[in-house]
C-alpha cells in the first residue's frame, strides 16, 4: 500500500512529465532570419510596387508568398545612419550615427549581438558601410566602405581579400556557401545578406550593361519640375540630372571622349577617378566585355550631344541613368532568386523569415533628381516585403506607418528574444498577423542632418501620417512645408500657408512636439550636432 507521501511524489512526477511533454509539443522551433537589404533600391523599381520600369519576379515572390508594406519608411534617408538605426532600433540622434561622417557609437547594443547571445548562429555578407568588425557576428565578409562593383575587396575576420567577379554575384555566392557548407545546422541562424547595388555609380555586369543600354524607359511626370510651389530647400538641392549628374562617373563617358570634344555643356564637376576607379579594377577579359557597350555609348554621345537642347540632354542623362541603375537591380533580382531557390531546395524555407528592404528610397528622375536625403516620398519611403510561411498569409498588403526603426524589435520578438527597453521601435509581429487593432502608431518621426555636404539637402525634421507630411527646414533657413499626401501624392504643392489647412497644421505641430519629446530629440541636440559638424 502506498503512503500519502509516495502518492504525492508520484502525482508530482506525472505532472512534471506531462509539463515537459507539453512544453516540447507547444514550443515552436525558433525561426531562422534572413535579412536581405539592397543599397538605394527605390520602391518604384520593384514590380510588386507597380513599377513600370522593370520586372523583379524574384523579389516579387516574397510579396506573393508573404506581405508587402506600402507605407514603410526610414528615420533618416542616408546610408550609414539608416543601417545604424536598423542595427540598434534607435533614432540616429540616440545611436550617434547622424550622417555618413560621424562615427558610430560602438557601445550601442546591436540586434545581432542579442541573437548571438541567445544561441543563434550569425553571419553577415556584403555592404555594412561602417565599421570593420561588426559586433555579434560569427562570420562576416564585408565590403570596405562603399565597396566596388568589379573585383571587390572584402574585410574578413582573417584579413582582407579580393575576389574576382561581379559584386552582386559574389555576395550571393558567399551567402549561399555559408548557408550550405559552413553553418551549424543544429542551430537557428540570423544572416544579413547585404547588397552594394544599386548604389552609385551603377556599374552593371557586362551582360546586363549590354542588355539594358539598348532599352528606353518611361519618364516620370515631374522630370522637369521647376519647384514653383516648394520652398528654398527643393530649389537649392544639388541632385539635378542635367546640372549635377557626372558624365564619366555616372553616365560612363570616357574622359578621353570629353577631351576630344573640347569639353561639354553643362560643365559638371567630376569625381576624381570617377570612370577609371571602377573600370580600372577590371581585368583584360572583363574590360573587353565592357568595351563593346562603352564604345557604343561614347560614340553616340560624341556625335549627338553638341546638337541636343537642354531638354534632350536631360532626357539623355535620364535614360543613361535608368539603363545602368535598372541593370544593376536586375542582377540583384536574379541573385535574390538564387537564394530563395536554395531555401526551397534545402528544406529550410518553411522555418525561415525572409525580409527584403533597402536602406532608404531613391529618386529615379522624379523632381528632376537622383539620390535621396529628402523626406519627399521617393526618398523617405522604402520597400519592405516579408515572407514567413504559416505565419504570414500569402499575398497580403499593409499600409500602416512602419519604419526601419522597427526591424530590430520585430526580429527579436519573432525569435523569442527580449528586446532592450531603450529600443524605440515597435514590433511588426501584430501586422504580420493582420492585427491592425493592436497597432497604435499613427505618425512617424524623421530627421535628416547631413548639411552642408554633397547634394546640399538642407537639415530638416518632420512628422508624417498616412494623410499629411509636416516638415521643418532649419539651420540656415527657417521654413515649414505641408503636403497633402492624398490629394497631392507627387508632393508638388506646399500648402502650409493655405488657411483651409490651419486646423490640421495646429494638430500636426502639437503631435510633432510630442514626438520630439517621445524620441528624446530637441533643439538643444540639433545645436549640439551642428557644433560637432562645424568642428
Amino acid at each position: 500500500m502506498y503512503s500519502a507521501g509516495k502518492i504525492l511524489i508520484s502525482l508530482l512526477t506525472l505532472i512534471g512529465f506531462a509539463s515537459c511533454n507539453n512544453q516540447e509539443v507547444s514550443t515552436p522551433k525558433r525561426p531562422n532570419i534572413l535579412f536581405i537589404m539592397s543599397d538605394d533600391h527605390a520602391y518604384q523599381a520593384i514590380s510588386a510596387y507597380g513599377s513600370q520600369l522593370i520586372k523583379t519576379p524574384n523579389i516579387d515572390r516574397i510579396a506573393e508568398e508573404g506581405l508587402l508594406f506600402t507605407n514603410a519608411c526610414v528615420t533618416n534617408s542616408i546610408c550609414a545612419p539608416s543601417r545604424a538605426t536598423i542595427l540598434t532600433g534607435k533614432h540616429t540622434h540616440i545611436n550617434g550615427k547622424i550622417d555618413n561622417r560621424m562615427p558610430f557609437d560602438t557601445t550601442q547594443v546591436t540586434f545581432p549581438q542579442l541573437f548571438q547571445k541567445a544561441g543563434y548562429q550569425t553571419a553577415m555578407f556584403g555592404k555594412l558601410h561602417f565599421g570593420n568588425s561588426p559586433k555579434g557576428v560569427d562570420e562576416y565578409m564585408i565590403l570596405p566602405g562603399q565597396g566596388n562593383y568589379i573585383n571587390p575587396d572584402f574585410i574578413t575576420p582573417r584579413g582582407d581579400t579580393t575576389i574576382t567577379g561581379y559584386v552582386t554575384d559574389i555576395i550571393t555566392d558567399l551567402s549561399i556557401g555559408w548557408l550550405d557548407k559552413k553553418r551549424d545546422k543544429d542551430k537557428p541562424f540570423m544572416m544579413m545578406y547585404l547588397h552594394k547595388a544599386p548604389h552609385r555609380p551603377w556599374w552593371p555586369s557586362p551582360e546586363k550593361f549590354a542588355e539594358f543600354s539598348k532599352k528606353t524607359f518611361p519618364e516620370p511626370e515631374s522630370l522637369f519640375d521647376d519647384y514653383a510651389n516648394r520652398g528654398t530647400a527643393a530649389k537649392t538641392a544639388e541632385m539635378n540630372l542635367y546640372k549635377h549628374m557626372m558624365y564619366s562617373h555616372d553616365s560612363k563617358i570616357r574622359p578621353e571622349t570629353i577631351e576630344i570634344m573640347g569639353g561639354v555643356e553643362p560643365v559638371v564637376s567630376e569625381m576624381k577617378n570617377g570612370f577609371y576607379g571602377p573600370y580600372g579594377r577590371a581585368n583584360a577579359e572583363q574590360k573587353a566585355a565592357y568595351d563593346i557597350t562603352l564604345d557604343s555609348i561614347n560614340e553616340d554621345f560624341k556625335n549627338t550631344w553638341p546638337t541636343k537642347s537642354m531638354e534632350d540632354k536631360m532626357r539623355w542623362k535620364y535614360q543613361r541613368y535608368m539603363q545602368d541603375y535598372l541593370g544593376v537591380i536586375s542582377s540583384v533580382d536574379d541573385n535574390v532568386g538564387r537564394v530563395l531557390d536554395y531555401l526551397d531546395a534545402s528544406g529550410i524555407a518553411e522555418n525561415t523569415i525572409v525580409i527584403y528592404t533597402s536602406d532608404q528610397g531613391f529618386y529615379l528622375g522624379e523632381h528632376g533628381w537622383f539620390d535621396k536625403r529628402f523626406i519627399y516620398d521617393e526618398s523617405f519611403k522604402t520597400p519592405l516585403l516579408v515572407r514567413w510561411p504559416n505565419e504570414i498569409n500569402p499575398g497580403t498588403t499593409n499600409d500602416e506607418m512602419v519604419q526601419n526603426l522597427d526591424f530590430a524589435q520585430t526580429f527579436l520578438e519573432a525569435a523569442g528574444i527580449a528586446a532592450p527597453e531603450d529600443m524605440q521601435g515597435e514590433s511588426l509581429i501584430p501586422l504580420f498577423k493582420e492585427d491592425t487593432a493592436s497597432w497604435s502608431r499613427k505618425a512617424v518621426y524623421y530627421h535628416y542632418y547631413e548639411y552642408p555636404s554633397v547634394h546640399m539637402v538642407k537639415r530638416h525634421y518632420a512628422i508624417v501620417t498616412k494623410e499629411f507630411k509636416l516638415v521643418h527646414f532649419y539651420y540656415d533657413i527657417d521654413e515649414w512645408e505641408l503636403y497633402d499626401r492624398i490629394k497631392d501624392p507627387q508632393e508638388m504643392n506646399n500648402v502650409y500657408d493655405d488657411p483651409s489647412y490651419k486646423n490640421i497644421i495646429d494638430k500636426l505641430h502639437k503631435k510633432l512636439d510630442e514626438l520630439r519629446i517621445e524620441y528624446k530629440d530637441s533643439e538643444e541636440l540639433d545645436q549640439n550636432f551642428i557644433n560637432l559638424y562645424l568642428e
Side-chain angles (χ1 to χ4, degrees), residues 324-355:
D324 291 349
Y325 180 91
L326 297 171
V328 299
I329 283 176
S330 183
S331 287
V332 170
D333 187 69
D334 290 346
N335 279 281
V336 167
R338 289 176 59 203
V339 172
L340 296 178
D341 288 345
Y342 173 80
L343 294 179
D344 291 342
S346 65
I348 59 177
E350 283 298 300
N351 193 42
T352 301
I353 304 171
V354 178
I355 302 96

Side-chain angles (χ1 to χ4, degrees), residues 73 375 377 380 401 442-446 462-471 485 508 515:
C73 60
I375 195 171
D377 269 5
F380 165 70
M401 300 298 299
K442 302 302 179 187
V444 295
Y445 181 64
Y446 178 92
I463 179 174
V464 186
T465 69
K466 291 181 184 179
E467 298 84 12
F468 299 102
K469 185 177 294 183
L470 178 67
V471 191
R485 303 184 73 201
L508 288 173
L515 284 181

Side-chain angles (χ1 to χ4, degrees), residues 311-328:
E311 289 80 6
D312 285 342
K313 288 179 178 180
M314 179 79 149
R315 291 190 168 99
W316 187 93
K317 280 191 169 184
Y318 169 75
Q319 293 298 333
R320 273 281 48 249
Y321 172 33
M322 287 299 93
Q323 289 163 359
D324 291 349
Y325 180 91
L326 297 171
V328 299

Side-chain angles (χ1 to χ4, degrees), residues 189-206:
F189 66 82
M190 191 290 296
M191 187 172 81
M192 303 184 77
Y193 165 47
L194 309 173
H195 283 294
K196 171 184 172 56
H199 194 279
R200 192 181 188 189
W202 319 300
W203 274 83
S205 66

Side-chain angles (χ1 to χ4, degrees), residues 36-221:
I36 310 172
M37 184 165 69
S38 296
D39 193 312
D40 292 345
H41 191 172
Y43 66 89
Q44 314 93 282
I46 296 176
S47 43
Y49 282 94
S51 176
Q52 301 301 306
L53 295 168
I54 189 172
K55 296 294 184 185
T56 51
N58 295 298
I59 296 171
D60 292 358
R61 274 170 63 187
I62 302 171
E64 290 161 3
E65 298 169 3
L67 172 60
L68 177 82
F69 284 93
T70 60
N71 254 328
C73 60
V74 297
T75 64
N76 182 355
S77 184
I78 190 166
C79 298
S82 175
R83 292 158 193 269
T85 290
I86 289 168
L87 287 169
T88 63
K90 300 174 189 176
H91 276 275
T92 49
H93 62 273
I94 299 295
N95 66 47
K97 191 65 179 166
I98 61 167
D99 55 29
N100 283 338
R101 185 182 113 178
M102 293 291 179
F104 176 64
D105 177 3
T106 56
T107 66
Q108 293 284 329
V109 174
T110 64
F111 78 81
Q113 291 174 269
L114 300 173
F115 271 87
Q116 188 183 57
K117 186 177 180 181
Y120 270 71
Q121 193 172 18
T122 58
M124 179 185 292
F125 299 101
K127 180 180 178 181
L128 174 61
H129 192 97
F130 63 88
N132 292 348
S133 300
K135 296 171 85 172
V137 182
D138 298 322
E139 176 63 23
Y140 61 86
M141 293 185 72
I142 58 174
L143 301 166
Q146 293 287 1
N148 289 285
Y149 277 103
I150 303 168
N151 303 335
D153 302 319
F154 285 89
I155 299 166
T156 83
R158 296 161 293 281
D160 296 355
T161 188
T162 301
I163 302 178
T164 300
Y166 186 65
V167 68
T168 307
D169 300 331
I170 293 169
I171 292 169
T172 306
D173 292 342
L174 295 172
S175 299
I176 293 176
W178 182 84
L179 287 170
D180 193 48
K181 304 293 185 186
K182 297 183 179 180
R183 69 183 175 92
D184 181 346
K185 294 176 182 171
D186 292 327
K187 290 184 177 181
F189 66 82
M190 191 290 296
M191 187 172 81
M192 303 184 77
Y193 165 47
L194 309 173
H195 283 294
K196 171 184 172 56
H199 194 279
R200 192 181 188 189
W202 319 300
W203 274 83
S205 66
E207 300 78 17
K208 299 291 186 183
F209 196 33
E211 175 190 351
F212 277 76
S213 67
K214 298 177 177 66
K215 294 178 181 285
T216 302
F217 299 94
E219 297 173 0
E221 291 180 27

Side-chain angles (χ1 to χ4, degrees), residues 268-323:
V268 177
S269 179
E270 282 286 348
M271 187 175 292
K272 185 180 180 182
N273 296 324
F275 179 85
Y276 282 107
Y279 178 77
R281 296 186 66 84
N283 60 35
E285 182 181 355
Q286 292 166 331
K287 285 178 179 175
Y290 276 113
D291 282 344
I292 299 168
T293 306
L294 285 168
D295 289 347
S296 175
I297 291 168
N298 277 258
E299 191 66 19
D300 172 71
F301 182 81
K302 184 173 64 176
N303 293 335
T304 66
W305 188 262
T307 62
K308 290 183 186 296
S309 66
M310 184 278 283
E311 289 80 6
D312 285 342
K313 288 179 178 180
M314 179 79 149
R315 291 190 168 99
W316 187 93
K317 280 191 169 184
Y318 169 75
Q319 293 298 333
R320 273 281 48 249
Y321 172 33
M322 287 299 93
Q323 289 163 359

